[in-house]
Amino acid sequence: SSIPKTTIASINTTNWDHTVTNTPRCDQSGLTETIRKDGEQIEVPKFRPYDLRHFYASLLIEQNTNLKKLQSLMGHRNIETTFNTYGHLLDRAENAKVKRTGLLDILH
């Protein structure tokens, strides 16, 4: 590797080692929330992996990613799964396109 070992060590310490500030990086970035469970306050993730996956797919749809590419990226065996899972987002993206190109929208 062309990166000096001292640089790698500082990257690991500042970016990955969550004990540097005694606060895990997830807490600092707002990815967790504090809840009460059985009378104790505990930190739990705000988002499940599924939520992040759905968010990623919604970004791809918003960027007009080809549907076969979306199917592949999401690991769906058939396109019907992609349509059934993300159809509401596809409709919303299509409606947004129509609204932006309408003559009345341009005049407003």
Side-chain angles (χ1 to χ4, degrees), residues 38-52:
D38 298 328
E40 291 184 40
Q41 285 191 334
I42 59 170
E43 294 290 323
V44 296
K46 280 187 183 178
F47 307 103
R48 302 167 297 163
Y50 177 81
D51 298 327
L52 299 175

